[in-house]
Amino acid sequence: LAPVPRPVGVTTVAVIAFVQSSFGILGGLALIIERNDRELIAHVGQSSGQITTYGVAAIIWGVVTFFAAIGLWNGANWARILVGILEVTNVAAGLYLLFAWSGTYVWNGIWQIGIAILVLYFLFGSRGDEFFSRRGPESAAQGEPAGWWEHSPTNPHVVRGQRLPCSNRSGQPNS
């Protein structure tokens, strides 16, 4: 089977995730560096310790997002599932904004739901499914064509033209 090219939607989501990760890491570092700034403390209404905690959390979130972006770029299904879970939580948060708040929060909720649904479509739509289902972890890392681990349709004991070792003593393939 030939490798499936990365769909534009998956590429877009991966690039946005790379950008988000850099903002998360840089923003977290900025919070930690500026944690004792009196104007910042007064503006956010939090203590220096709380600002540090938010900074560390932002850095961790940025690092996780960075690895998820690499996974999406390489076609790793675990990254698709992780981002899918995060987007479902974004839909839930958007619904909360729609029904529990008013004013501009309603529009924030609409945008949040819309973007999450678009990301879910890119990752779990037909093109995303084909891309992620036709790539194994080894193929993503080594550039192997997707499906190289599958059995030959004519002989289940042959993989990529190589005969699999038999476990019976006759040397015949197990049936």
Side-chain angles (χ1 to χ4, degrees):
L1 298 171
V4 175
R6 184 182 322 102
V8 173
V10 173
T11 301
T12 303
V13 171
V15 168
I16 290 171
F18 278 120
V19 172
Q20 283 179 327
S21 72
S22 62
F23 282 136
I25 293 168
L26 293 174
L29 288 172
L31 285 174
I32 291 171
I33 291 169
E34 297 294 324
R35 70 182 176 266
N36 293 321
D37 182 61
R38 291 175 195 241
E39 289 180 27
L40 176 64
I41 292 171
H43 179 71
V44 298
Q46 304 290 322
S47 70
S48 176
Q50 290 170 317
I51 293 171
T52 302
T53 301
Y54 296 142
V56 170
I59 291 170
I60 292 169
W61 189 260
V63 169
V64 169
T65 304
F66 176 77
F67 285 112
I70 291 173
L72 289 175
W73 190 266
N74 290 325
N77 201 43
W78 65 265
R80 176 172 79 146
I81 292 168
L82 174 65
V83 172
I85 290 168
L86 296 176
E87 293 306 324
V88 168
T89 61
N90 277 332
V91 168
L95 289 171
Y96 173 74
L97 288 174
L98 278 177
F99 295 111
W101 293 85
S102 61
T104 58
Y105 290 111
V106 171
W107 288 108
N108 289 345
I110 291 170
W111 278 105
Q112 191 166 352
I113 292 168
I115 291 170
I117 289 172
L118 188 62
V119 168
L120 289 169
Y121 172 75
F122 285 153
L123 297 180
F124 293 94
S126 61
R127 289 185 179 172
D129 272 346
E130 183 181 12
F131 174 66
F132 286 103
S133 67
R134 303 254 331 254
R135 299 180 63 88
E138 294 85 359
S139 65
Q142 300 172 4
E144 290 282 344
W148 66 267
W149 58 87
E150 296 173 359
H151 292 285
S152 163
T154 57
N155 184 347
H157 300 283
V158 174
V159 176
R160 262 186 107 193
Q162 300 289 326
R163 187 178 174 94
L164 294 175
C166 301
S167 62
N168 64 22
R169 293 185 181 181
S170 69
Q172 297 299 315
N174 293 329
S175 45

